[in-house]
Amino acid sequence: MVVVMDTDEEATGDTENLEEEVIAEEEEEEDKEPINDEVVDAVVEIHEEEVKDDDGCDGLVNEILSVIEFLDQIKEYRRTQQKECFNLVRRWKILVPFLEEIRGFESPSCMHFVNRLRKVFLVAKKLLETCNNGSKIFLALDGESVMTRFHSTYEKLNRVLVKTPFDELVISHEVKEEIESLCKQLKKAKRRTDTQDIELAVDMMVVFSKTDPRNSDSAIIERLAKKLELQTIEDLKKETIAIKSLIQEKGVLSVETKQHIIELLNKFKKLQGLEATDILYQLVINKSFTKSTSLILPHEFLCPITLEIMLDPVIIATGQTYEKESIQKWFGAGHKNCPKTRQELDHLSLAPNFALKNLIMQWCEKNNFKIPEKETSPHSENEQKDEVSLLVEALSSSHLEEQRRSVKQMRLLARENPENRVLIANAGAIPLLVQLLSYPDSGIQENAVTTLLNLSIDEINKKLISNEGAIPNIIEILENGNREARENSAAALFSLSMLDENKVTIGLSNGIPPLVDLLQHGTVRGKKDALTALFNLSLNSANKGRAIDAGIVQPLLNLLKDKNLGMIDEALSILLLLASHPEGRQAIGQLSFIETLVEFIRQGTPKNKDCATSVLLELGSNNSSFILAALQFGVYEYLVEITTSGTNRAQRKANALIQLISKSEQI
C-alpha cells in the first residue's frame, strides 16, 4: 500500500468523519432522518491539506476535478465490487462538464454547495480506494455492507445535487439536463446480486463454518481462490499486506472476523505450498514474502494532473512541475494556463527537471519501489474509431432524426478528450459539420456549432475549420441562432481567433457587431463568451476600430459598474487595447471613467489595480489631460502605495505613471 503524504506533514493520525458531517448538513437543510448505514467507515483519513476558505470555490472545484481524473486512471478493482466501482466513477465523470462551467462563481451559496459535494466525493474516494487495494477476502466476506456503502453514497450525492443552485450558477441547458438525468440514475440505483455473487456467498459460508464438513474441501477453496484472484504467490503477498493493514485499524474488525480471514488466507497459502502464518499476533511476515511496509510517497513526486509518480518531470513557465506526457496533453487540448495555479502562461516551453527526476529514481531504488507500467488498450481505440466512423456517416443521412442523434453524440465525444477530437477530424467530419451550420433546424445548428467549438480546441482543427469556410456561417448563427447556439458561436469565434489570420477573417466578415450585441444583451455566460472573443479580436489593429464603431465602449463601462458579474479585469484589458487607438481614447476618456479607474487603483483587487494602472498610463502617455483629471481624484498617493505593495507589473506601471506625473509638473 502506498500512502500519499506531504513530506513536511506529520502522520498524526488525525481523522475526519466525513460521513457524519455530510449527514449532519443534510439534517440541517432537510427535515428528515439521515441515511442509516449499518456498516460504514466511521473514520475517513485524509492525508491532504484541508481546503481553506480563501481557496474559494475554484479551489474546491480544482481539487474534485484532479481526483476524478486520478480515479479515472484506476483500471483494476476487486472483482467482487468491480462493477459498482466503475459505475461510481462513471457517475462522477458526468459531473466534469458541470464543474468546469461553475468555475468563477464565488458566492456563499455556491461555495457551500461545492463544499458539500466535495465531502460526499471524499467519502466515495475512500470507498473506491478500499475496493482498489483493500483485502479481497474481507471485501468478499463483507460484500453486503460494502454494497450498502455504495448505495448510501449514491443517495448522499443525489441529495446534494438536487440542491444545485441552477438559477445562480447560470449553467448551459445541456449540462443542467445531464445533472437532472444523473439524479434520476442515482434514485434508480438498486442493490444487485448476480448468480456468481450468490455462489461466492455460499462458498464463503461453507469455509467459515465450524460444523460443515466441507469447510476444508480443496475444490471449494480452489474455486474461491480463483474467484478472488488469489492464486499466485504475488497475489497472496499483496493480500497478506492488505490484511495486516486492515487488522491494525482500530475498531474495524472483531477478533472472530480477523481469525476467519486469516484462516482462509492460510488455506489459500497451502494450495501454493506456502507456510501458514498467524499475522494476528505475528507482525513480521514469513521470509518467503518480500519484506514490505507502507511506503510514504513524497507529494512532490506526483504529477498534479494525474496524481501518479512522475517518470519524466518537466517545468513550465509558472515554475510548477508536471509529468511531460500529461502537460503536453493539457496544452494539446488548447489550454494556455497552468493546471495547478490556473495562471496564464507567458510561453508553453518545457524544461526538464533533472534534479527531481534523480530524486525520484534514488527514492524508488532505495525503497525497492517498482513504477507500474502504463497499459494501452488498442481494442477500445479501434472501437472508438468505428463509433466515430458510423457517426460521420450518419451526418449525411437523409433521415433528420439520425442526423440529430449523430451530431449530438459527436458533440459529446469531441468534448471528452484530445484523442477524440483528432479521431473525429481524421474521419472527415469537419466539412459535413460546416454544411450543417446552415441547415434549417435550430437543434442541428446548435449541436453542429458546439461540436466545431469542441473540435477547435485542437490547433490543427482550427485551420481545418476555417479552411472549410465555417466562419461566415458561425457568424450567421451568432446573429440569428437560439440562445445557447449564439453563446457557443461566440466561444467558437474566440477559439478560432487564436490564429492571427482568423482574426482578420472574422473582422472582415462583420463578426464584431453581433459579438458587441451579445456583450450588451446576453446572459452572464453570453457576456463572458463575447468578452473573451472581443479581447482576442482587438489584438488586431483594424479590429479595434471596428469594435469602437460597433459601440463596444458602453457595454464595457457597464461591466465595470457590476462587480457581481466578475468581468472587471477582462473589461479593463480590452479598454487597455482600445486606449492605444485614437478613436478609442476619445470614446473612453470621460471624466467619470477616469474616476472609476482611480477607484480601482485605490481599492480594487491586485489584478484590478494592475489593469487600471495600465489603462491610465496608456491614456496619460498620449494626453496629459487624463493625468490631470486623475490627480484631482487623488491618484498620486494610491500609486505610491502600489509601488510597494502591488504586483510586479503594477509596480512597474505605477512607477512609470509617477515619472510621467513628475515630467508634467502637475504635482
Side-chain angles (χ1 to χ4, degrees):
M1 181 178 69
V2 177
V3 179
V4 178
M5 187 178 296
D6 288 330
T7 51
D8 59 348
E9 181 183 23
E10 294 182 3
T12 61
D14 290 346
T15 58
E16 178 182 2
N17 193 333
L18 292 175
E19 294 267 7
E20 292 178 359
E21 214 173 317
V22 172
I23 292 174
E25 287 192 6
E26 290 169 349
E27 286 183 296
E28 290 175 5
E29 295 192 7
E30 302 179 43
D31 185 22
K32 57 183 175 181
E33 290 297 317
I35 303 166
N36 182 18
D37 299 334
E38 294 180 357
V39 179
V40 296
D41 273 340
V43 175
V44 178
E45 295 182 4
I46 305 297
H47 294 295
E48 300 172 34
E49 291 183 0
E50 285 291 322
V51 176
K52 300 177 182 178
D53 289 342
D54 56 7
D55 283 339
C57 188
D58 280 4
L60 296 173
V61 168
N62 291 338
E63 180 191 12
I64 296 174
L65 287 172
S66 295
V67 185
I68 288 177
E69 187 164 358
F70 166 67
L71 292 176
D72 192 35
Q73 305 302 314
I74 299 175
K75 302 303 179 186
E76 291 185 341
Y77 291 100
R78 301 314 189 215
R79 178 182 283 186
T80 46
Q81 284 80 30
Q82 189 175 67
K83 186 183 295 184
E84 283 302 326
C85 288
F86 285 127
N87 281 340
L88 181 55
V89 173
R90 176 178 58 79
R91 284 165 177 148
W92 276 110
K93 286 170 64 178
I94 292 173
L95 293 175
V96 171
F98 168 67
L99 291 167
E100 292 283 3
E101 284 202 7
I102 64 174
R103 279 202 179 106
F105 291 92
E106 297 290 345
S107 67
S109 59
C110 178
M111 183 75 174
H112 176 66
F113 166 75
V114 178
N115 194 41
R116 291 183 69 212
L117 188 63
R118 170 182 172 267
K119 289 174 182 176
V120 178
F121 177 76
L122 291 176
V123 173
K125 177 174 176 281
K126 176 65 177 178
L127 177 57
L128 289 168
E129 288 174 339
T130 299
C131 295
N132 171 244
N133 55 31
S135 163
K136 295 178 180 179
I137 297 175
F138 173 72
L139 288 170
L141 177 65
D142 207 40
E144 186 68 16
S145 294
V146 176
M147 189 60 69
T148 298
R149 292 174 59 191
F150 275 102
H151 292 284
S152 170
T153 302
Y154 293 151
E155 188 164 350
K156 288 181 175 67
L157 178 57
N158 181 58
R159 293 173 71 178
V160 172
L161 291 179
V162 296
K163 295 284 187 178
T164 304
F166 288 119
D167 293 338
E168 181 177 345
L169 294 175
V170 196
I171 62 173
S172 66
H173 180 67
E174 179 197 0
V175 170
K176 183 179 179 182
E177 281 187 341
E178 289 179 354
I179 298 301
E180 291 171 344
S181 175
L182 176 58
C183 288
K184 292 178 182 177
Q185 290 181 39
L186 294 171
K187 284 182 179 179
K188 291 179 180 178
K190 298 197 180 195
R191 209 164 290 184
R192 292 190 307 269
T193 306
D194 55 27
T195 305
Q196 181 177 321
D197 289 337
I198 294 174
E199 187 179 36
L200 176 66
V202 170
D203 284 346
M204 294 288 283
M205 286 171 53
V206 169
V207 297
F208 285 140
S209 172
K210 296 294 185 182
T211 58
D212 195 315
R214 298 174 298 166
N215 60 14
S216 296
D217 188 322
S218 60
I220 294 177
I221 295 171
E222 286 179 10
R223 187 163 64 216
L224 271 177
K226 183 177 181 180
K227 287 181 179 178
L228 298 180
E229 298 177 328
L230 292 173
Q231 295 179 284
T232 68
I233 293 176
E234 185 64 28
D235 289 336
L236 290 169
K237 182 195 306 181
K238 293 177 181 177
E239 179 68 7
T240 302
I241 294 169
I243 291 173
K244 182 180 176 184
S245 175
L246 184 67
I247 288 173
Q248 290 174 339
E249 293 182 29
K250 294 181 179 179
V252 176
L253 301 176
S254 67
V255 174
E256 184 180 7
T257 302
K258 291 176 185 177
Q259 197 62 56
H260 280 325
I261 292 173
I262 294 168
E263 286 174 359
L264 182 55
L265 174 65
N266 285 333
K267 288 176 181 179
F268 291 153
K269 286 182 181 180
K270 286 180 180 179
L271 288 178
Q272 302 300 323
L274 299 174
E275 180 183 350
T277 55
D278 188 352
I279 59 175
L280 182 57
Y281 302 106
Q282 183 182 348
L283 296 180
V284 180
I285 300 174
N286 189 287
K287 291 183 179 179
S288 61
F289 292 87
T290 303
K291 183 179 179 181
S292 177
T293 58
S294 295
L295 298 179
I296 298 177
L297 184 59
H299 194 268
E300 62 267 25
F301 289 0
L302 301 180
C303 173
I305 296 175
T306 63
L307 296 183
E308 294 178 351
I309 191 167
M310 290 182 279
L311 296 175
D312 191 7
V314 293
I315 304 171
I316 65 172
T318 57
Q320 299 290 333
T321 296
Y322 297 90
E323 174 65 26
K324 185 176 181 180
E325 181 184 354
S326 301
I327 195 64
Q328 284 178 334
K329 284 184 178 179
W330 176 265
F331 291 154
H335 299 292
K336 306 295 181 184
N337 60 351
C338 173
K340 188 172 182 179
T341 66
R342 300 293 165 182
Q343 180 180 341
E344 289 295 322
L345 300 176
D346 295 331
H347 58 81
L348 303 184
S349 301
L350 304 177
N353 193 335
F354 293 118
L356 180 58
K357 185 173 183 178
N358 288 335
L359 283 174
I360 293 173
M361 299 309 294
Q362 291 170 13
W363 183 90
C364 290
E365 184 177 352
K366 179 181 177 181
N367 292 279
N368 195 25
F369 181 79
K370 184 179 179 181
I371 300 175
E373 296 180 1
K374 296 182 178 179
E375 297 181 359
T376 58
S377 178
H379 180 65
S380 61
E381 290 177 6
N382 290 333
E383 287 181 346
Q384 192 79 308
K385 287 181 180 179
D386 292 341
E387 181 183 358
V388 169
S389 296
L390 290 173
L391 290 174
V392 172
E393 186 179 339
L395 290 179
S396 303
S397 172
S398 57
H399 300 288
L400 181 61
E401 284 305 317
E402 190 173 357
Q403 283 186 310
R404 284 175 175 164
R405 180 193 60 79
S406 61
V407 73
K408 185 174 183 179
Q409 183 62 27
M410 191 172 290
R411 168 182 178 173
L412 298 174
L413 281 177
R415 187 179 63 190
E416 281 184 2
N417 55 56
E419 291 78 13
N420 284 356
R421 294 174 198 125
V422 174
L423 277 177
I424 292 170
N426 290 343
I430 290 176
L432 298 173
L433 289 167
V434 172
Q435 292 177 22
L436 291 178
L437 292 176
S438 55
Y439 198 90
D441 181 281
S442 61
I444 287 180
Q445 282 186 352
E446 177 191 324
N447 284 316
V449 76
T450 308
T451 305
L452 289 171
L453 162 63
N454 295 335
L455 292 174
S456 70
I457 295 172
D458 182 272
E459 293 300 313
I460 295 176
N461 287 348
K462 284 181 172 65
K463 294 182 179 180
L464 294 175
I465 292 168
S466 55
N467 289 344
E468 287 295 328
I471 289 175
N473 291 336
I474 293 174
I475 293 172
E476 175 69 23
I477 295 175
L478 175 63
E479 291 177 318
N480 302 309
N482 61 38
R483 179 185 62 80
E484 190 162 349
R486 294 184 67 209
E487 292 169 354
N488 290 342
S489 296
L493 291 178
F494 162 71
S495 180
L496 294 173
S497 68
M498 299 297 290
L499 301 180
D500 288 340
E501 58 267 31
N502 287 343
K503 292 182 177 70
V504 175
T505 303
I506 293 169
L508 292 174
S509 301
N510 208 29
I512 291 178
L515 285 171
V516 172
D517 181 72
L518 185 62
L519 181 65
Q520 177 77 31
H521 303 109
T523 64
V524 174
R525 183 190 166 204
K527 291 178 187 294
K528 287 185 176 181
D529 289 332
L531 195 63
T532 52
L534 287 165
F535 173 80
N536 240 16
L537 292 169
S538 296
L539 294 172
N540 175 275
S541 181
N543 285 341
K544 293 176 186 177
R546 295 187 180 103
I548 294 166
D549 291 341
I552 191 176
V553 173
Q554 191 55 51
L556 291 175
L557 296 180
N558 292 340
L559 292 179
L560 297 181
K561 298 174 184 177
D562 192 345
K563 295 182 179 180
N564 292 327
L565 292 175
M567 304 183 210
I568 291 173
D569 295 331
E570 292 82 354
L572 286 172
S573 296
I574 296 180
L575 288 167
L576 175 60
L577 293 174
L578 299 180
S580 64
H581 193 283
E583 293 180 19
R585 288 192 293 274
Q586 182 177 353
I588 66 178
Q590 310 165 22
L591 191 63
S592 60
F593 174 62
I594 300 301
E595 184 178 10
T596 300
L597 282 181
V598 173
E599 188 62 20
F600 283 126
I601 293 172
R602 182 177 76 86
Q603 61 175 13
T605 66
K607 186 68 183 295
N608 290 165
K609 293 180 180 181
D610 184 334
C611 293
T613 304
S614 299
V615 174
L616 184 57
L617 177 61
E618 183 66 38
L619 290 172
S621 298
N622 289 277
N623 190 330
S624 60
S625 63
F626 293 123
I627 297 292
L628 181 61
L631 286 171
Q632 294 176 1
F633 297 113
V635 74
Y636 187 82
E637 62 178 292
Y638 310 139
L639 292 173
V640 172
E641 183 179 345
I642 290 176
T643 59
T644 58
S645 62
T647 64
N648 291 336
R649 182 170 181 266
Q651 288 182 20
R652 291 196 303 271
K653 299 294 182 180
N655 280 319
L657 258 175
I658 290 173
Q659 291 178 11
L660 192 61
I661 291 171
S662 299
K663 288 180 182 179
S664 301
E665 296 181 348
Q666 296 295 330
I667 299 179

